[in-house]
Amino acid sequence: MSGSSETTPFALELSGIAKNFGSVAALKDISFTLRKGEFLTMLGPSGSGKTTTLRIIAGFMQPDRGDVRMHGVSVAGAPPNRRNIGMVFQDYALFPHMSVADNVAFPLLARGCDKADAARRAAAMLDVVGLSGFGPRSVRQLSGGQGQRVALARALVFGPELVLLDEPMAALDKKLRGTMQTEILRIVKQLGATVISVTHDQEEALVMSDRIALFENGALAQIGTPQALYETPSNPFVADFIGEANVLEGRVGAGNTIAGAGWRTGAGHHALPGAGEAVRIAIRPEKIHLADEGEAGVEVTLRQSTYLGVEYRLLVTLADGTPLQVRNRDMRRLAGLQPGETVRLTWAPEDLIVLRGA
Ligand code: ATP
C-alpha cells in the first residue's frame, strides 16, 4: 500500500546487453528485471543465448554493451567472486576430497566466517535440503539427487543476493528430476532466494518459474508468467516452443470469424483486425475435439492415430493438406477410427490464440 515497490531497486536488472563472438551476434539487446524472491527460467533452443546471458550475469564474461545492476548498483567489471552470487552447475562440481559438511561450509570460510559458525550454518543448511546427518559423509558416497542437494546447499549457505542454476537437473534421470524440481522450489522459496535457472526442458520451466524468459536467436522472444506464454504467446515461435501448437493462416470474415482453406471458425471474444485482413491463429492439440453428431466443425482427413494409454494422438490434414496435431481422450470414439477416414473436428472459439507478431 505504501507504494514502496516503485522505489525498491530490482534484485537484478539487465539493460541493453549485447555480445558478439566474431561475426556471431550471440546477444542482441537483452533487457529484463528480476524482483527479490522471484524464480526466472531462461528457456530457448540451443545457441539462443541463455548461457552467454548467465555468464555475463555471473561475471565470467563481459558484455560488449549494456549494464548489469544488482540491487540498483552496477556490477560492470566486477569479477564473479565480488558479485555475491550462488551457483549450481550441471555437473555440480563438488570438491571430491571433502566431506559433505566441508563442501557446504566452504563458501562461508572463504568469506571469513569462523570455523564453528561455518560448521553450525552448514549443518542448518543441510537440514533445509533434507540431508541432516549427511555432514561427515564423503561426497563420493552420494546419489545424484543427494549430490545435487549438497551443491544447492553450498550455493545458498552464504545468503547470496542471486542464485544461478545452470541446467542443474540435466544429469538426473527423468523421475528424479521431477522430485528435485519440487524440492529445489521448496528450498529456494523457503529461503526467499532470487533465482535464475537455465534449462532446455520446457516442462521444468513451466513447473518451477514465476516467469520464463524465452530466447530466440540472441533476443527475448517473450518474457512473462508460464500462463502468459502458454495462453497469450506473442508469436508463432513462442506458441510452438511452450507446449505444442497448430498454427493456421486465415482471413477475417464477417461476424468475427476467421476462415482458411477448407476451414472456418468463430473467434469468440478475440478482437480481430478488419474483415479481409490476414490473421494467424494457433490452437493447442488438446483443445481440439471430435464434433458431435450435427455439430458444426472442420472436416479433416485422419492420417495417423496413436494410442498413448490416457489419450490418443492424431495427425490429421485439412482440405489443403495443412497438418494438425490433436490430443484427445474420447477413447471410445477414437478407438474405432481408421486412417483415411474423414473426421469432423471442433474447438471452442475462446481456446483459439490469435497471434500478432511476425
Ligand atoms: P545451449 O542451449 O546449447 O547451451 P545457449 O542458448 O546457452 O545454447 P549460448 O551458449 O549462449 O547459447 O550461445 C549463443 C551463441 O553464441 C551461439 O551461436 C554460440 O555458438 C555462440 N557462442 C557462445 N559462446 C561462444 C564463444 N566462446 N565463442 C564463440 N561463439 C560462442
Side-chain angles (χ1 to χ4, degrees), residues 79-146:
N81 59 353
R82 301 286 300 277
R83 295 197 179 193
N84 200 20
I85 292 176
M87 286 177 242
V88 180
F89 299 104
Q90 189 176 136
D91 54 5
Y92 50 84
L94 297 172
F95 306 120
H97 55 286
M98 287 187 192
S99 69
V100 167
D102 288 346
N103 262 277
V104 179
F106 183 84
L108 295 169
L109 297 172
R111 283 168 175 75
C113 193
D114 78 59
K115 249 181 146 173
D117 193 31
R120 191 184 50 73
R121 287 169 66 184
M125 187 53 69
L126 283 173
D127 234 15
V128 173
V129 301
L131 290 177
S132 42
F134 278 68
R137 266 209 211 184
S138 158
V139 295
R140 294 197 187 94
Q141 300 168 311
L142 299 174
S143 71
Q146 290 165 343

Side-chain angles (χ1 to χ4, degrees), residues 210-285:
D210 295 313
R211 282 187 304 151
I212 296 173
L214 181 56
F215 282 71
E216 182 190 17
N217 266 328
L220 278 182
Q222 192 170 349
I223 181 166
T225 62
Q227 288 84 348
L229 268 69
Y230 194 82
E231 287 167 19
T232 51
S234 59
N235 62 45
F237 170 78
V238 181
D240 205 41
F241 202 89
I242 307 287
E244 297 170 301
N246 297 297
V247 176
L248 297 177
E249 314 220 354
R251 287 196 181 275
V252 178
N256 220 41
T257 59
I258 307 166
W263 59 271
R264 186 181 179 79
T265 178
H269 66 282
H270 292 288
L272 298 179
E277 295 284 320
V279 65
R280 218 164 350 178
I281 58 171
I283 179 85
R284 301 280 181 201

Side-chain angles (χ1 to χ4, degrees), residues 108-319:
L108 295 169
L109 297 172
R111 283 168 175 75
C113 193
D114 78 59
K115 249 181 146 173
D117 193 31
R120 191 184 50 73
R121 287 169 66 184
M125 187 53 69
L126 283 173
D127 234 15
V128 173
V129 301
L131 290 177
S132 42
F134 278 68
R137 266 209 211 184
S138 158
V139 295
R140 294 197 187 94
Q141 300 168 311
L142 299 174
S143 71
Q146 290 165 343
Q148 198 52 272
R149 284 167 203 248
V150 176
L152 188 66
R154 189 178 60 178
L156 291 166
V157 73
F158 57 97
E161 288 171 53
L162 181 66
V163 181
L164 302 179
L165 308 176
D166 189 3
E167 302 207 38
M169 258 110 33
L172 307 178
D173 69 58
K174 195 166 160 38
K175 207 162 183 181
L176 184 57
R177 221 181 292 165
T179 319
M180 280 308 292
Q181 287 166 6
T182 322
E183 260 301 88
I184 289 180
L185 205 54
R186 175 189 69 76
I187 294 160
V188 298
K189 289 298 177 192
Q190 181 180 336
L191 299 173
T194 311
V195 184
I196 297 188
S197 179
V198 168
T199 186
H200 279 99
D201 182 342
Q202 56 133 314
E203 193 180 311
E204 181 176 311
L206 290 170
V207 168
M208 299 188 75
S209 320
D210 295 313
R211 282 187 304 151
I212 296 173
L214 181 56
F215 282 71
E216 182 190 17
N217 266 328
L220 278 182
Q222 192 170 349
I223 181 166
T225 62
Q227 288 84 348
L229 268 69
Y230 194 82
E231 287 167 19
T232 51
S234 59
N235 62 45
F237 170 78
V238 181
D240 205 41
F241 202 89
I242 307 287
E244 297 170 301
N246 297 297
V247 176
L248 297 177
E249 314 220 354
R251 287 196 181 275
V252 178
N256 220 41
T257 59
I258 307 166
W263 59 271
R264 186 181 179 79
T265 178
H269 66 282
H270 292 288
L272 298 179
E277 295 284 320
V279 65
R280 218 164 350 178
I281 58 171
I283 179 85
R284 301 280 181 201
E286 69 275 17
K287 302 291 190 190
I288 303 178
H289 312 288
L290 297 176
D292 289 328
E293 193 91 9
E295 188 185 4
V298 174
E299 289 205 339
V300 299
T301 307
L302 180 64
R303 300 293 172 190
Q304 201 176 45
S305 166
T306 312
Y307 173 73
L308 292 173
V310 293
E311 65 180 13
Y312 275 87
R313 182 188 285 241
L314 311 181
L315 176 65
V316 304
T317 48
L318 292 167

Side-chain angles (χ1 to χ4, degrees), residues 21 24 26 44-53 55 61 167 200:
F21 295 107
V24 176
S46 185
S48 57
K50 309 176 296 290
T51 309
T52 305
T53 305
R55 288 198 184 127
M61 191 182 270
E167 302 207 38
H200 279 99

